[in-house]
Amino acid sequence: MPYPQEKIKAELKAERARLHKLRLEQQGLPEGHGTSQKKMTKQERRELQEAQRLAKINGQPLKKSDSKSIHLEDKHKIQMQLGVSPKDSSSPLIAQIANMAITSSSSSTNPLSTSGLTPGITGGTGALNQRITEKALEAAMIQEKKVRMFEHLEEPNSRSFSGPPSDKWRGSSLTSISEGTECEKPVPSTKKPIPVHPAVKSAGLKMACFEIDGANERAAAMLKAFAIAINDYKTPPQQTMARHLQTYLNPQISYFVQQRPLTIGMGNAIRWLKEKISLVDIDKDEASTKRELISLIASYIQERIHAAIESVAEYGASKIKDGDVILIYGHSSSVLKMLIRAFKEDKVKFNVIVIDSRIGFWGQKTVRQLVAAGMARKPMEIGELVPSSIHNTDPVGHTNSSGSQAQNICGNVSYAYITSLGYVMKQASKVILGVEAIMGNGALLSRSGTSMVALAAHNYRVPVLVSCESYKFTDRVQLDSVVSNELGNPENLIWTPSESKQNWISPNKHSKSLVSNTMMAINYSPLASDRFGAWPSLNNTRTFVDLASQSKTLLPHPSTNFPNLNLLSKSKAINNMIATSAIGSTTIKHTKPQDKSTILDPIDKQEALKKWDLLEQENPLAKWREQPSLKILDITRDITPSKFVSVIITELGLIPTTSIPVVLREYKN
Amino acid sequence: MSTKDLSYLIDNFTLKLDQSKDCSSLKKALETANLIKNVVNSSKWDDPNTLMELIRFTGKKIVKTSQKDLVLFNVICRMTHLVRTEAKNYRNTLEIASNTNNNTPKQSGMSTPVMGLGQSTYNSVGKLINLVELNLLQQSRIENTSRLNLKTFILQGINDFIEELENTRINIASHATDHIHSNEIIMTCGHSKTVERFLKNASRKRRFMVVITESAPSYQGHKLAAALASPDIETVVIPDSAAFAMMSRVNKVILGAHTVMANGGLITNSGAQMIAMAAKYHSTPVVVCAGLYKVSPLFPFDQDSFNTLVSPDGIFPYKDEISDQIDVLNPVCDYVGPEYVDLLVNHLGGHLPSYIYRLLQENYDDQDIVALCGTIS
């Protein structure tokens, strides 16, 4: 289904597709490697299968698309380049790669040691072989870097993996929306795949890159996208809308799931929508049914989400009293609304402590919004400086003492990391938390760190108020955070922010939008583009990076025959650095392949190398790929036991955690 | 050595201390001990009291410059205690020698304070101190003649202490296998060299997994993880926020400490309190590895008394336009109360937090603490 977005980028897409096909053609399909298989152990065989699977996935679109139309000349040319005859180009190579993967993953042996055995992978074969090995190595790497306890959880973004591996990244990237079509999962029940609606795609991608984050925003955005999708829906001939609309929506829903796991609120909304669709009167005409559904969705967004937030804010604000010190964690739209309401409308005099944590630094967003609402103290003028206030080095003094800063006693905003909770918690008189969902057993499902804040509050005997709209209640129960969770990209933890290290990206003054704030934490990575993709940056192969890796000089040590894991990631990172700097100056879209190579002039590369070395020094985890037993785990959600919670603020009023199943029951009837 | 030389020595030392902010507390302790050794070695003193005054003078100057670093304070206190004990022992031996020579019965009044020093100073402090000082004065004339001998005794004592310091990590690490079983999941935070050595030592005989919180904003956890990861230790780095989520699967929490306070509580890197709380909630034992030199005779009367708030630079960018409208709190330390600590491991073995007072009695004198305490604000 042609949508305008795709037309705009058709040119770029065509070029990429051509290059992609060429690559696939070079790789061929894996066949006949039985001889080597017999000697392998069970684990080794599995590794090999993994490698084959990857190769096959590469091959798949080849079969689907018009593979025969690829110019034979091109194919021949490349094979000549590689110095490989057409017949033996595929199978031994794959076996070798598999071996590589095995040696690198199964033990701590250096992949370099095997380099002598594989003269085919050196020198002239260049970029192609490197790419294939990269993929095998990467698969092995993902396997190796898994924490066993969390093996049951999906790898970050692997759910968006349904196209060829190289599109894994593109599938969830904003920058290449045109590639998205390749990611569609064919729905088994229908012969023709139902395309994902661009509105859904747009919302899904924004969620994948955390531009839309927060349970409420995500649920609202999803429902809005569904409304648009239903609006554009046309019942195919010989189908009834009531029946077919369901099948039409399924790929839209699964697209959202692919991008990021749904929140409980989203799941509840989908269930509600499905129920409404199933209740559609078959005899009604299409237009009025659509109208009815759209208005239903609009009212759901309005009543269950927006109005609910408002009334939660109202109830919550009534609990904030003069002199309170409210401690909040991260960012929550309803908590923020509550505080601003109490400050502006109810004119309550209170202070706020914002607790923040890696990786998102959502608390900074909260702080900004509080300051924008007028909560912070005014910047101090030189005239106001009196010795006493200078020497009052205890910054907590303002919160509980009526000392020299009496005039500033209300509306102060403090900001601290979660590690200093023990230090700040004793100042707080109330803790207000926003959550993603509340389980049937009263446990809170929320961003990780919430449980720590609630625990500290519990230990310091500070009441914990939880704001939650009732559409986020669920029957599901969960006791701990390990059984079900969402894993983040581990590579995001490698880079540490510090102004002294010049790693902060100062927020753009002109765009105080969501993106600039929430992406701040992400941008200081030299692998910034990796943020969007599956975590090993090896996947992030863009055309210019491919071209770059063809030049042999890119490997820091040309003497090594086989790039070991470190070099792979390092060279990739350096490529990325160079590429991103190049994007700044030139528009890559319009340059021809020959011109692109000029981007990588040696000076830039040296600079990039220097920068990388510096980064490696400052961030000891940068070399984590080299250390097989070093793993990084980013758990993004946690479960807060219900005993830490004093009260839940919903639009229905203030209820205890034990009332969740009761409320759910009421809703059902 | 003149007073001028001495103050030059001290200034040099404090300057060096100032410049090396990241250096480990063990190194600081060693440097301090060496400085005192230098003072004992090269300065003129006729009797132990003069020496004691010299050490106190040095100690006051050092402690003043590094206010919150209690390790230096501890070392100075132990040094004065050492001098006092050595002087007494020496006098005792002289006594015994003269007694045996003269074949006269041993004066029991003289030996009692020596024997009872450790236990009884706390009971009747003032009285006893006076008695001891008086005794020292009386004896000084005899000792004058054999000052060199006493000096060698004291230097020997200091050398023993330095040796204790140097071996403290190895000795603590040798207890590792008593506390870690195979396939265990251990959580730690920050980067304590003692803990690193402890875990590495355990990995020689056991295979286990270490979960490390990264300890923002210093991100010391990253360093520890990079240092620890080896085929025998599966190392997992998690963000600080995930500590509670992971705690349900953790068997043991092993922490390092900046200082162990007199009540058995800890001054540690920020974030440790949260982990200790989470451990307590999950009934996970908390083991603290800290050398004896970190055991401080001071009590944390207030949670914040030994904490420092440092530049917010690391957690909120200065460049940010709203940075002057909000308060950014960046405490370096955290206080972990004795109720969260299950075991304190030092080179002697494992102790309960409630046993700390005994270690204090054996290693410190109240009068030194009182004398030096004035310099700590």
Side-chain angles (χ1 to χ4, degrees):
Chain A
M1 209 181 285
Y3 292 112
Q5 288 100 318
E6 291 177 41
K7 278 179 189 168
I8 295 163
K9 299 200 174 178
E11 192 193 328
L12 185 65
K13 184 192 170 185
E15 199 205 31
R16 280 188 189 167
R18 200 177 63 81
L19 280 162
H20 184 62
K21 279 172 191 165
L22 280 181
R23 235 181 283 135
L24 296 170
E25 194 66 18
Q26 293 162 25
Q27 287 161 14
L29 293 168
E31 275 161 349
H33 39 261
T35 46
S36 60
Q37 217 169 15
K38 279 174 189 169
K39 294 170 195 167
M40 292 173 172
T41 63
K42 201 174 181 180
Q43 190 206 351
E44 284 170 340
R45 264 203 296 281
R46 197 176 297 152
E47 297 286 350
L48 183 63
Q49 278 164 5
E50 183 75 6
Q52 285 168 5
R53 193 181 59 81
L54 281 167
K56 263 182 196 158
I57 289 160
N58 268 328
Q60 231 166 22
L62 197 68
K63 276 191 248 166
K64 272 194 266 172
S65 58
D66 46 348
S67 61
K68 279 150 203 164
S69 69
I70 294 170
H71 308 295
L72 281 169
E73 293 166 22
D74 282 352
K75 186 181 172 184
H76 188 64
K77 211 189 284 170
I78 285 156
Q79 276 164 353
M80 292 293 278
Q81 269 181 2
L82 296 171
V84 186
S85 71
K87 277 179 186 173
D88 63 7
S89 64
S90 58
S91 56
L93 193 67
I94 300 291
Q96 278 165 0
I97 295 151
N99 275 327
M100 289 297 160
I102 292 154
T103 45
S104 63
S105 70
S106 58
S107 65
S108 58
T109 50
N110 191 345
L112 279 172
S113 62
T114 56
S115 59
L117 304 170
T118 55
I121 297 193
T122 62
T125 44
L128 164 67
N129 288 345
Q130 197 182 316
R131 278 180 48 79
I132 305 168
T133 38
E134 274 172 20
K135 267 169 204 152
L137 286 172
E138 175 216 322
M141 170 90 75
I142 294 183
Q143 208 57 42
E144 181 185 277
K145 293 290 186 188
K146 269 186 178 173
V147 179
R148 276 185 66 194
M149 199 191 302
F150 289 87
E151 263 172 3
H152 62 285
L153 300 176
E154 273 181 278
E155 279 306 315
N157 263 5
S158 61
R159 60 200 79 84
S160 65
F161 178 81
S162 56
S166 54
D167 291 329
K168 196 169 167 184
W169 168 69
R170 286 174 191 151
S172 55
S173 153
L174 268 183
T175 51
S176 56
I177 211 157
S178 58
E179 252 76 19
T181 42
E182 291 173 28
C183 279
E184 282 160 26
K185 239 180 196 165
V187 179
S189 57
T190 54
K191 278 165 198 166
K192 218 174 156 190
I194 294 167
V196 175
H197 192 277
V200 171
K201 208 170 267 184
S202 155
L205 290 173
K206 279 178 184 168
M207 287 175 202
C209 73
F210 299 90
E211 189 185 325
I212 296 180
D213 202 66
N216 288 332
E217 285 145 41
R218 279 179 70 189
M222 183 193 70
L223 284 172
K224 248 176 231 164
F226 283 157
I228 296 166
I230 289 171
N231 192 39
D232 291 348
Y233 168 79
K234 280 191 184 68
T235 318
Q238 292 125 25
Q239 295 269 21
T240 51
M241 184 179 181
R243 281 163 182 271
H244 185 255
L245 189 57
Q246 193 79 51
T247 40
Y248 171 73
L249 277 181
N250 279 341
Q252 324 289 338
I253 294 164
S254 63
Y255 186 79
F256 277 114
V257 181
Q258 271 173 37
Q259 298 308 325
R260 255 188 94 182
L262 301 181
T263 63
I264 300 280
M266 288 163 92
N268 284 346
I270 288 171
R271 208 167 304 128
W272 167 85
L273 184 60
K274 278 184 175 168
E275 194 193 321
K276 288 292 165 206
I277 290 169
S278 71
L279 293 176
V280 158
D281 192 355
I282 301 173
D283 302 330
K284 255 188 181 175
D285 69 306
E286 196 180 302
S288 65
T289 315
K290 273 159 70 174
R291 222 176 300 127
E292 189 195 321
L293 280 175
I294 290 165
S295 75
L296 271 173
I297 292 175
S299 70
Y300 188 93
I301 297 175
Q302 188 50 38
E303 284 167 22
R304 300 297 300 275
I305 303 176
H306 291 319
I309 293 174
E310 286 299 331
S311 55
V312 165
E314 194 186 332
Y315 283 126
S318 71
K319 292 288 154 200
I320 301 174
K321 304 285 183 223
D322 279 345
D324 260 348
V325 179
I326 308 290
L327 188 139
I328 58 175
Y329 174 66
H331 185 268
S332 156
S333 50
S334 57
V335 172
L336 196 70
K337 209 151 239 170
M338 190 187 294
L339 295 179
I340 290 174
R341 192 194 168 95
F343 180 74
K344 279 196 164 164
E345 290 174 31
D346 303 350
K347 308 277 180 214
V348 184
K349 295 185 172 94
F350 65 100
N351 295 318
V352 182
I353 301 172
V354 180
I355 298 292
D356 206 355
S357 79
R358 288 249 278 169
I359 300 161
F361 295 122
W362 314 106
Q364 292 195 359
K365 187 175 147 194
T366 307
V367 167
R368 267 166 237 283
Q369 287 177 352
L370 285 173
V371 171
M375 265 209 78
R377 89 173 110 74
K378 302 286 160 293
M380 213 177 249
E381 299 296 325
I382 289 177
E384 294 172 36
L385 288 176
V386 280
S388 65
S389 66
I390 293 170
H391 287 292
N392 189 5
T393 47
D394 178 17
V396 186
H398 68 272
T399 48
N400 56 356
S401 73
S402 52
S404 59
Q405 298 185 335
Q407 71 275 20
N408 290 329
I409 195 136
C410 76
N412 243 326
V413 179
S414 304
Y415 175 86
Y417 273 6
I418 198 163
T419 43
S420 34
L421 253 186
Y423 180 81
V424 294
M425 187 53 85
K426 59 184 178 296
Q427 313 294 331
S429 63
K430 273 171 196 125
V431 171
I432 304 181
L433 299 171
V435 291
E436 196 179 288
I438 300 185
M439 300 284 183
N441 59 343
L444 316 177
L445 173 72
S446 193
R447 215 184 284 285
S448 80
T450 308
S451 58
M452 299 265 275
V453 178
L455 167 73
H458 184 73
N459 275 12
Y460 281 92
R461 311 287 186 269
V462 179
V464 177
L465 290 75
V466 172
S467 88
C468 183
E469 300 76 29
S470 67
Y471 84 99
K472 293 174 179 171
F473 293 174
T474 178
D475 269 336
R476 268 178 55 197
V477 288
Q478 203 175 325
L479 285 172
D480 62 39
S481 321
V482 183
V483 181
S484 139
N485 214 316
E486 184 184 343
L487 293 182
N489 184 341
E491 299 234 313
N492 291 334
L493 255 78
I494 294 175
W495 312 106
T496 56
S498 159
E499 189 158 14
S500 55
K501 290 175 189 169
Q502 307 277 313
N503 273 346
W504 283 108
I505 298 290
S506 58
N508 191 347
K509 282 193 178 182
H510 304 293
S511 63
K512 277 187 202 163
S513 66
L514 232 149
V515 194
S516 71
N517 294 334
T518 54
M519 297 300 274
M520 230 176 72
I522 293 150
N523 279 343
Y524 51 70
S525 160
L527 316 165
S529 58
D530 300 357
R531 191 65 181 86
F532 305 109
W535 56 270
S537 60
L538 313 181
N539 250 343
N540 301 350
T541 43
R542 287 193 249 185
T543 24
F544 50 82
V545 175
D546 292 351
L547 283 159
S549 57
Q550 276 178 6
S551 65
K552 286 175 220 162
T553 50
L554 260 162
L555 287 175
H557 304 292
S559 58
T560 50
N561 291 329
F562 185 81
N564 68 18
L565 292 177
N566 175 38
L567 295 186
L568 270 181
S569 60
K570 190 173 175 178
S571 65
K572 280 285 174 191
I574 288 163
N575 286 349
N576 257 342
M577 270 191 247
I578 297 165
T580 29
S581 69
I583 288 170
S585 52
T586 55
T587 42
I588 220 137
K589 200 172 167 184
H590 301 296
T591 50
K592 285 175 185 173
Q594 297 98 295
D595 301 333
K596 281 175 197 167
S597 57
T598 58
I599 298 163
L600 304 152
D601 56 86
I603 304 161
D604 270 7
K605 203 201 123 198
Q606 268 179 6
E607 273 171 20
L609 269 173
K610 230 181 258 173
K611 198 181 165 194
W612 176 261
D613 285 342
L614 198 76
L615 278 166
E616 264 191 356
Q617 271 173 26
E618 284 169 356
N619 303 288
L621 292 188
K623 293 181 193 163
W624 80 304
R625 287 156 183 274
E626 291 169 70
Q627 294 171 290
S629 62
L630 180 55
K631 294 165 187 183
I632 301 175
L633 184 70
D634 180 18
I635 317 171
T636 61
R637 300 280 173 271
D638 70 10
I639 295 286
T640 309
S642 64
K643 70 153 76 163
F644 297 158
V645 180
S646 313
V647 73
I648 296 170
I649 307 168
T650 72
E651 72 263 33
L652 312 165
L654 279 70
I655 56 170
T657 49
T658 45
S659 297
I660 301 300
V662 183
V663 171
L664 285 171
R665 217 179 134 92
E666 289 297 311
Y667 268 115
K668 264 179 203 157
N669 296 334
Chain B
M1 189 164 63
S2 65
T3 10
K4 206 177 170 186
D5 288 338
L6 181 65
S7 54
Y8 173 75
L9 207 69
I10 295 165
D11 285 348
N12 214 0
F13 175 80
T14 49
L15 193 71
K16 218 161 90 186
L17 212 68
D18 239 25
Q19 284 166 348
S20 58
K21 269 180 184 159
D22 292 337
C23 99
S24 71
S25 61
L26 178 66
K27 211 176 164 202
K28 280 182 192 168
L30 271 171
E31 294 277 325
T32 318
N34 276 321
L35 176 82
I36 302 293
K37 191 176 158 190
N38 235 341
V39 171
V40 173
N41 221 351
S42 52
S43 58
K44 278 180 192 158
W45 49 276
D46 298 328
D47 60 306
N49 283 340
T50 333
L51 179 64
M52 204 93 87
E53 278 310 308
L54 267 175
I55 294 175
R56 271 187 196 159
F57 172 75
T58 319
K60 272 179 188 167
K61 271 198 131 178
I62 292 171
V63 172
K64 217 171 205 171
T65 50
S66 57
Q67 282 289 324
K68 307 250 155 142
D69 206 335
L70 292 174
V71 164
L72 301 186
F73 177 85
N74 299 344
V75 172
I76 302 288
C77 283
R78 277 192 73 174
M79 282 299 173
T80 43
H81 173 75
L82 193 139
V83 171
R84 188 172 290 115
T85 332
E86 286 299 336
K88 245 161 261 164
N89 285 347
Y90 179 69
R91 197 181 53 238
N92 228 15
T93 46
L94 277 187
E95 197 100 334
I96 292 160
S98 61
N99 283 351
T100 44
N101 283 349
N102 300 343
N103 282 330
T104 49
K106 200 171 92 180
Q107 288 182 14
S108 58
M110 278 283 129
S111 56
T112 323
V114 181
M115 298 290 289
L117 181 77
Q119 288 85 351
S120 55
T121 35
Y122 276 69
N123 302 338
S124 53
V125 185
K127 200 173 155 192
L128 204 67
I129 288 165
N130 288 341
L131 188 66
V132 172
E133 299 279 6
L134 201 71
N135 287 340
L136 285 173
L137 273 172
Q138 280 173 350
Q139 293 298 318
S140 62
R141 242 168 265 123
I142 314 163
E143 284 157 14
N144 239 349
T145 50
S146 50
R147 188 180 66 86
L148 272 175
N149 272 331
L150 176 58
K151 192 173 168 180
T152 47
F153 274 116
I154 290 171
L155 283 177
Q156 185 56 45
I158 293 176
N159 281 337
D160 287 348
F161 178 63
I162 288 173
E163 204 176 316
E164 181 205 309
L165 285 181
E166 278 166 349
N167 294 327
T168 189
R169 279 181 192 156
I170 302 166
N171 287 333
I172 291 172
S174 68
H175 298 294
T177 41
D178 296 345
H179 301 289
I180 296 172
H181 64 74
S182 30
N183 221 6
E184 192 159 22
I185 301 175
I186 288 159
M187 189 184 271
T188 183
C189 77
H191 184 195
S192 157
K193 297 258 172 59
T194 319
V195 172
E196 185 190 332
R197 183 67 80 84
F198 191 80
L199 294 173
K200 274 183 176 166
N201 203 45
S203 76
R204 280 197 238 153
K205 289 185 183 159
R206 313 259 196 275
R207 300 187 122 256
F208 53 92
M209 180 171 144
V210 181
V211 179
I212 302 169
T213 64
E214 49 180 10
S215 316
S218 66
Y219 301 102
Q220 291 287 316
H222 289 195
K223 273 188 198 165
L224 177 62
L228 216 56
S230 69
D232 290 330
I233 309 177
E234 188 186 355
T235 313
V236 180
V237 181
I238 58 166
D240 298 303
S241 50
F244 186 86
M246 277 303 277
M247 193 57 83
S248 59
R249 297 292 176 277
V250 170
N251 300 118
K252 213 159 271 163
V253 174
I254 297 180
L255 297 175
H258 293 171
T259 321
V260 178
M261 304 311 287
N263 63 350
L266 317 169
I267 304 289
T268 51
N269 55 328
S270 71
Q273 191 188 5
M274 286 316 304
I275 289 170
M277 269 184 194
K280 178 112 180 160
Y281 178 76
H282 288 103
S283 302
T284 311
V286 176
V287 178
V288 177
C289 297
L292 195 60
Y293 66 95
K294 283 180 174 173
V295 178
S296 167
L298 300 176
F299 282 88
F301 293 110
D302 178 8
Q303 262 199 33
D304 307 329
S305 46
F306 298 103
N307 209 341
T308 328
L309 287 155
V310 293
S311 155
D313 168 36
I315 70 170
F316 201 86
Y318 272 134
K319 284 179 210 151
D320 202 292
E321 54 198 8
I322 63 160
S323 63
D324 56 348
Q325 295 176 52
I326 58 167
D327 293 314
V328 182
L329 309 177
N330 189 9
V332 244
C333 299
D334 223 344
Y335 170 72
V336 180
E339 66 270 25
Y340 296 116
V341 181
D342 290 280
L343 200 67
L344 287 156
V345 178
N346 57 25
H347 70 277
L348 303 168
H351 306 289
L352 281 181
S354 55
Y355 184 76
I356 291 296
Y357 84 99
R358 200 123 275 283
L359 295 175
L360 290 173
Q361 282 185 8
E362 280 163 22
N363 293 293
Y364 297 98
D365 270 329
D366 265 9
Q367 42 183 327
D368 303 328
I369 298 160
V370 172
L372 275 173
C373 251
T375 51
I376 293 189
S377 58

